[in-house]
Amino acid sequence: MFFEAFGTDSFLLLTALLLFSGVFVAKFSSRWGIPALILFILIGMLFGSEGLGIVYFNDASTAQLIGVFALVIILFEGGLHTKWATVKSVALPSLSLATIGVLLTSMIAGLSVYFLFELSLLESLLFGAIVGSTDAAAVFAALKERNIKAKMGATLEAESGTNDPMAVFLTLSFIKLITSPDTSLWMLIPRFFFQMGVGLVFGFVLGKLASVSINKIKLDSSALYPIFSVAFALATYSITAFSGGSGFLGVYVAALVIGNSELTYRYSIFQFNEGFAWMAQILMFVILGLFVFPSELFTASIMLNGLLLSAVLILVARPAAVFLSLLGMNYSNKEKLFISWAGLRGAVPIVLATFPIVEGLENSQGLFNLVFFVVLTSALVQGSTISYVAKKMTLVGPKKDVPHHSIELISMGKAKAEMIQYQTNAESAVVGKKLHEVSFPNRANISAIIRDNEVITPYGETEIHAGDFLYILVEEKYKAQLKRTLEERVKKSKEKQREKQKQDAAN
């Protein structure tokens, strides 16, 4: 084998090749209309023993460890970018989807397996539990920079970030019931609520602790703050899990708290975690691709059964679960159908499918291959058509304008100053005004404007346009005042528009 011939050198070269492949795949995946996770998995298969024969990998425990580590990083990054103002309006429906929705999906999928194939009831329900949850990595990647309506995007992201505890609970419960027949399911139910409660509490507390620590502890190098944030992510998962709670939920809640707090070196932390999440995603899917053997996966039996189960999951189980779990909530049938279609399966089901293998369950390898094929089908069919379906259902929102740039002071902590990024919109009171006409708080100055991905050097006569990214240099002690000023101006603008609309209606 390649490793045996070259040892450490081969490992470093192989790592470089995998990362190169992952970067280029990520670049072209959206252009080709194929989800990146599919291509990452194919890279793993290509490098595997039945591809180029470079790597032989068949260690379920290691695959599970890498998968959990990567999911922690991906969930943390997704939570950092989730705005609480958007999520809180969909918190109840998202929680319903993450609990009742996952349970219903799992039961329908599991019972379908029981009636269609020669598996025991518990083995069938175990399959349903494994594929019951949507995947944060797949959903975050599919929705990033796509102009899906904010309500839909927030619902799907919040659901995928919080539904892992139910899937993990169901999977481990059915494994326990299979390996220990004397165990009662009713005894396991209180454990789920305990895990959820501990996850929420620990996530919130550790998220607050992380936010305060990042702002209060003065580190010698700005490069240490992003590492500090990752350490909190890993610590949150571990501490929560050791305490009997859901580590995944704890990480997502902590990231939500951190991301919606005022942070020193905010953009450095966000950019580092975004890059780290990409690397974790590449590593995870490539490893999972190495772990599967194409000769076992692409057999007539697995493919036919996988297509049938994919159809049941996508067209029956998921829609039924969505419509039932969103009963009485403010969602139209069209929105429910879109949420059903956008419920992507990804890394979580594959990682969960390694649990039965590690436990040595009968039929576990066949179960893994079936889950893997269902995930591939879901990602390929649903993931590549999300934008098209949203457009057909007229659920497309305004185009997301994401800044691919950063301006930040190297010695910001020591200078006690920060560069604030603020994006204007049509309702911003500063839009249409020249810089000399805007009264910013003392010690706050616009240092740069990004418009259509071009840097504009500001001066007194520069007019502010809607969609501009303003980079405002402000001393740390005036940051809160600047934020209040910007928010007050937006609010006043909205109030003026309402008054104008009332006057127009009266006339």
mmCIF file of all heavy atoms in Angstrom, residues 79-80 82 84 200 203-211 251-263 266:
data_model
loop_
_atom_site.group_PDB
_atom_site.id
_atom_site.type_symbol
_atom_site.label_atom_id
_atom_site.label_comp_id
_atom_site.label_asym_id
_atom_site.label_seq_id
_atom_site.Cartn_x
_atom_site.Cartn_y
_atom_site.Cartn_z
ATOM 1 N N GLY A 79 -24.333 27.600 13.810
ATOM 2 C CA GLY A 79 -24.951 28.366 14.878
ATOM 3 C C GLY A 79 -24.421 29.783 14.982
ATOM 4 O O GLY A 79 -25.166 30.720 15.274
ATOM 5 N N LEU A 80 -23.116 29.953 14.728
ATOM 6 C CA LEU A 80 -22.517 31.293 14.775
ATOM 7 C C LEU A 80 -23.182 32.237 13.779
ATOM 8 O O LEU A 80 -23.368 33.427 14.056
ATOM 9 C CB LEU A 80 -21.017 31.211 14.469
ATOM 10 C CG LEU A 80 -20.088 30.675 15.559
ATOM 11 C CD1 LEU A 80 -18.657 30.640 15.039
ATOM 12 C CD2 LEU A 80 -20.155 31.512 16.829
ATOM 13 N N THR A 82 -26.223 32.006 12.577
ATOM 14 C CA THR A 82 -27.680 32.059 12.698
ATOM 15 C C THR A 82 -28.088 33.262 13.551
ATOM 16 O O THR A 82 -27.630 33.410 14.678
ATOM 17 C CB THR A 82 -28.219 30.770 13.351
ATOM 18 O OG1 THR A 82 -27.821 29.644 12.556
ATOM 19 C CG2 THR A 82 -29.735 30.814 13.427
ATOM 20 N N TRP A 84 -30.479 35.297 15.855
ATOM 21 C CA TRP A 84 -31.557 34.988 16.789
ATOM 22 C C TRP A 84 -32.844 35.716 16.424
ATOM 23 O O TRP A 84 -33.948 35.171 16.583
ATOM 24 C CB TRP A 84 -31.144 35.336 18.215
ATOM 25 C CG TRP A 84 -32.254 35.180 19.207
ATOM 26 C CD1 TRP A 84 -32.818 36.146 19.971
ATOM 27 C CD2 TRP A 84 -32.942 33.967 19.535
ATOM 28 N NE1 TRP A 84 -33.816 35.621 20.756
ATOM 29 C CE2 TRP A 84 -33.910 34.277 20.507
ATOM 30 C CE3 TRP A 84 -32.827 32.653 19.091
ATOM 31 C CZ2 TRP A 84 -34.763 33.333 21.044
ATOM 32 C CZ3 TRP A 84 -33.683 31.698 19.629
ATOM 33 C CH2 TRP A 84 -34.632 32.045 20.592
ATOM 34 N N LEU A 200 -29.771 22.194 26.443
ATOM 35 C CA LEU A 200 -30.188 23.605 26.364
ATOM 36 C C LEU A 200 -29.504 24.448 27.433
ATOM 37 O O LEU A 200 -28.968 25.525 27.145
ATOM 38 C CB LEU A 200 -31.707 23.703 26.506
ATOM 39 C CG LEU A 200 -32.547 23.281 25.304
ATOM 40 C CD1 LEU A 200 -34.017 23.186 25.679
ATOM 41 C CD2 LEU A 200 -32.364 24.257 24.151
ATOM 42 N N GLY A 203 -25.606 24.501 26.990
ATOM 43 C CA GLY A 203 -25.276 25.282 25.795
ATOM 44 C C GLY A 203 -25.389 26.770 26.051
ATOM 45 O O GLY A 203 -24.509 27.548 25.673
ATOM 46 N N PHE A 204 -26.479 27.177 26.719
ATOM 47 C CA PHE A 204 -26.689 28.597 27.014
ATOM 48 C C PHE A 204 -25.620 29.122 27.970
ATOM 49 O O PHE A 204 -25.011 30.176 27.720
ATOM 50 C CB PHE A 204 -28.087 28.807 27.605
ATOM 51 C CG PHE A 204 -28.396 30.238 27.931
ATOM 52 C CD1 PHE A 204 -28.794 31.119 26.938
ATOM 53 C CD2 PHE A 204 -28.279 30.711 29.230
ATOM 54 C CE1 PHE A 204 -29.066 32.442 27.231
ATOM 55 C CE2 PHE A 204 -28.553 32.030 29.536
ATOM 56 C CZ PHE A 204 -28.949 32.901 28.534
ATOM 57 N N VAL A 205 -25.383 28.395 29.048
ATOM 58 C CA VAL A 205 -24.418 28.846 30.059
ATOM 59 C C VAL A 205 -23.006 28.912 29.495
ATOM 60 O O VAL A 205 -22.284 29.911 29.663
ATOM 61 C CB VAL A 205 -24.452 27.915 31.295
ATOM 62 C CG1 VAL A 205 -23.318 28.247 32.257
ATOM 63 C CG2 VAL A 205 -25.799 28.021 32.005
ATOM 64 N N LEU A 206 -22.588 27.865 28.785
ATOM 65 C CA LEU A 206 -21.237 27.846 28.232
ATOM 66 C C LEU A 206 -21.090 28.842 27.088
ATOM 67 O O LEU A 206 -20.011 29.385 26.860
ATOM 68 C CB LEU A 206 -20.885 26.437 27.768
ATOM 69 C CG LEU A 206 -20.723 25.408 28.906
ATOM 70 C CD1 LEU A 206 -20.563 23.999 28.357
ATOM 71 C CD2 LEU A 206 -19.522 25.773 29.784
ATOM 72 N N GLY A 207 -22.178 29.091 26.355
ATOM 73 C CA GLY A 207 -22.143 30.119 25.311
ATOM 74 C C GLY A 207 -21.927 31.502 25.904
ATOM 75 O O GLY A 207 -21.142 32.306 25.386
ATOM 76 N N LYS A 208 -22.626 31.791 27.012
ATOM 77 C CA LYS A 208 -22.438 33.073 27.703
ATOM 78 C C LYS A 208 -21.016 33.192 28.250
ATOM 79 O O LYS A 208 -20.376 34.247 28.144
ATOM 80 C CB LYS A 208 -23.451 33.199 28.844
ATOM 81 C CG LYS A 208 -24.858 33.539 28.409
ATOM 82 C CD LYS A 208 -24.933 34.953 27.869
ATOM 83 C CE LYS A 208 -26.361 35.359 27.554
ATOM 84 N NZ LYS A 208 -26.433 36.728 26.954
ATOM 85 N N LEU A 209 -20.541 32.089 28.836
ATOM 86 C CA LEU A 209 -19.180 32.085 29.377
ATOM 87 C C LEU A 209 -18.159 32.331 28.271
ATOM 88 O O LEU A 209 -17.200 33.094 28.455
ATOM 89 C CB LEU A 209 -18.904 30.748 30.063
ATOM 90 C CG LEU A 209 -17.494 30.554 30.633
ATOM 91 C CD1 LEU A 209 -17.199 31.576 31.723
ATOM 92 C CD2 LEU A 209 -17.325 29.136 31.184
ATOM 93 N N ALA A 210 -18.365 31.712 27.120
ATOM 94 C CA ALA A 210 -17.448 31.896 25.988
ATOM 95 C C ALA A 210 -17.456 33.345 25.518
ATOM 96 O O ALA A 210 -16.396 33.934 25.250
ATOM 97 C CB ALA A 210 -17.842 30.958 24.844
ATOM 98 N N SER A 211 -18.639 33.937 25.394
ATOM 99 C CA SER A 211 -18.748 35.323 24.927
ATOM 100 C C SER A 211 -18.021 36.281 25.867
ATOM 101 O O SER A 211 -17.269 37.168 25.422
ATOM 102 C CB SER A 211 -20.222 35.722 24.814
ATOM 103 O OG SER A 211 -20.915 34.851 23.955
ATOM 104 N N VAL A 251 -23.794 22.333 21.668
ATOM 105 C CA VAL A 251 -22.903 23.075 20.768
ATOM 106 C C VAL A 251 -23.688 24.088 19.942
ATOM 107 O O VAL A 251 -23.277 25.248 19.795
ATOM 108 C CB VAL A 251 -22.148 22.103 19.839
ATOM 109 C CG1 VAL A 251 -21.462 22.856 18.706
ATOM 110 C CG2 VAL A 251 -21.113 21.316 20.631
ATOM 111 N N TYR A 252 -24.822 23.677 19.397
ATOM 112 C CA TYR A 252 -25.605 24.580 18.550
ATOM 113 C C TYR A 252 -26.136 25.762 19.362
ATOM 114 O O TYR A 252 -26.076 26.916 18.906
ATOM 115 C CB TYR A 252 -26.767 23.825 17.903
ATOM 116 C CG TYR A 252 -27.557 24.670 16.933
ATOM 117 C CD1 TYR A 252 -27.048 24.995 15.678
ATOM 118 C CD2 TYR A 252 -28.814 25.161 17.273
ATOM 119 C CE1 TYR A 252 -27.767 25.783 14.793
ATOM 120 C CE2 TYR A 252 -29.544 25.943 16.395
ATOM 121 C CZ TYR A 252 -29.015 26.254 15.148
ATOM 122 O OH TYR A 252 -29.728 27.035 14.277
ATOM 123 N N VAL A 253 -26.640 25.506 20.566
ATOM 124 C CA VAL A 253 -27.164 26.583 21.410
ATOM 125 C C VAL A 253 -26.035 27.529 21.825
ATOM 126 O O VAL A 253 -26.197 28.756 21.792
ATOM 127 C CB VAL A 253 -27.870 26.004 22.649
ATOM 128 C CG1 VAL A 253 -28.231 27.117 23.631
ATOM 129 C CG2 VAL A 253 -29.123 25.246 22.243
ATOM 130 N N ALA A 254 -24.883 26.969 22.193
ATOM 131 C CA ALA A 254 -23.737 27.809 22.567
ATOM 132 C C ALA A 254 -23.313 28.696 21.407
ATOM 133 O O ALA A 254 -23.036 29.889 21.584
ATOM 134 C CB ALA A 254 -22.568 26.931 23.015
ATOM 135 N N ALA A 255 -23.266 28.126 20.208
ATOM 136 C CA ALA A 255 -22.885 28.911 19.023
ATOM 137 C C ALA A 255 -23.900 30.004 18.738
ATOM 138 O O ALA A 255 -23.542 31.121 18.333
ATOM 139 C CB ALA A 255 -22.752 27.981 17.813
ATOM 140 N N LEU A 256 -25.179 29.701 18.951
ATOM 141 C CA LEU A 256 -26.235 30.695 18.750
ATOM 142 C C LEU A 256 -26.047 31.866 19.713
ATOM 143 O O LEU A 256 -26.192 33.037 19.329
ATOM 144 C CB LEU A 256 -27.597 30.027 18.979
ATOM 145 C CG LEU A 256 -28.850 30.748 18.483
ATOM 146 C CD1 LEU A 256 -28.808 30.948 16.986
ATOM 147 C CD2 LEU A 256 -30.091 29.956 18.873
ATOM 148 N N VAL A 257 -25.713 31.561 20.955
ATOM 149 C CA VAL A 257 -25.479 32.606 21.959
ATOM 150 C C VAL A 257 -24.239 33.427 21.591
ATOM 151 O O VAL A 257 -24.265 34.663 21.618
ATOM 152 C CB VAL A 257 -25.309 31.980 23.358
ATOM 153 C CG1 VAL A 257 -24.872 33.038 24.378
ATOM 154 C CG2 VAL A 257 -26.612 31.326 23.809
ATOM 155 N N ILE A 258 -23.152 32.743 21.230
ATOM 156 C CA ILE A 258 -21.903 33.435 20.891
ATOM 157 C C ILE A 258 -22.080 34.306 19.650
ATOM 158 O O ILE A 258 -21.676 35.462 19.613
ATOM 159 C CB ILE A 258 -20.768 32.421 20.661
ATOM 160 C CG1 ILE A 258 -20.464 31.659 21.952
ATOM 161 C CG2 ILE A 258 -19.497 33.121 20.160
ATOM 162 C CD1 ILE A 258 -19.543 30.473 21.758
ATOM 163 N N GLY A 259 -22.709 33.745 18.627
ATOM 164 C CA GLY A 259 -22.867 34.463 17.364
ATOM 165 C C GLY A 259 -23.732 35.696 17.464
ATOM 166 O O GLY A 259 -23.607 36.613 16.642
ATOM 167 N N ASN A 260 -24.631 35.728 18.447
ATOM 168 C CA ASN A 260 -25.511 36.887 18.605
ATOM 169 C C ASN A 260 -25.065 37.823 19.719
ATOM 170 O O ASN A 260 -25.830 38.684 20.154
ATOM 171 C CB ASN A 260 -26.939 36.399 18.871
ATOM 172 C CG ASN A 260 -27.604 35.835 17.630
ATOM 173 O OD1 ASN A 260 -28.200 36.559 16.841
ATOM 174 N ND2 ASN A 260 -27.489 34.534 17.435
ATOM 175 N N SER A 261 -23.820 37.645 20.172
ATOM 176 C CA SER A 261 -23.236 38.541 21.173
ATOM 177 C C SER A 261 -22.238 39.476 20.506
ATOM 178 O O SER A 261 -21.729 39.194 19.422
ATOM 179 C CB SER A 261 -22.521 37.709 22.257
ATOM 180 O OG SER A 261 -23.401 36.797 22.878
ATOM 181 N N GLU A 262 -21.970 40.588 21.167
ATOM 182 C CA GLU A 262 -20.927 41.490 20.692
ATOM 183 C C GLU A 262 -19.577 40.862 21.012
ATOM 184 O O GLU A 262 -19.291 40.554 22.169
ATOM 185 C CB GLU A 262 -21.052 42.851 21.365
ATOM 186 C CG GLU A 262 -22.272 43.648 20.921
ATOM 187 C CD GLU A 262 -22.190 44.065 19.465
ATOM 188 O OE1 GLU A 262 -21.058 44.221 18.959
ATOM 189 O OE2 GLU A 262 -23.240 44.217 18.828
ATOM 190 N N LEU A 263 -18.743 40.667 20.001
ATOM 191 C CA LEU A 263 -17.474 39.963 20.191
ATOM 192 C C LEU A 263 -16.289 40.778 19.716
ATOM 193 O O LEU A 263 -16.363 41.466 18.687
ATOM 194 C CB LEU A 263 -17.473 38.635 19.413
ATOM 195 C CG LEU A 263 -18.463 37.544 19.824
ATOM 196 C CD1 LEU A 263 -18.334 36.372 18.882
ATOM 197 C CD2 LEU A 263 -18.222 37.110 21.258
ATOM 198 N N ARG A 266 -14.646 39.596 15.996
ATOM 199 C CA ARG A 266 -15.805 38.850 15.518
ATOM 200 C C ARG A 266 -15.560 38.229 14.141
ATOM 201 O O ARG A 266 -15.821 37.052 13.909
ATOM 202 C CB ARG A 266 -17.019 39.782 15.460
ATOM 203 C CG ARG A 266 -18.284 39.114 14.971
ATOM 204 C CD ARG A 266 -19.446 40.111 14.902
ATOM 205 N NE ARG A 266 -20.690 39.453 14.599
ATOM 206 C CZ ARG A 266 -21.474 38.873 15.492
ATOM 207 N NH1 ARG A 266 -21.116 38.864 16.749
ATOM 208 N NH2 ARG A 266 -22.590 38.288 15.129
#
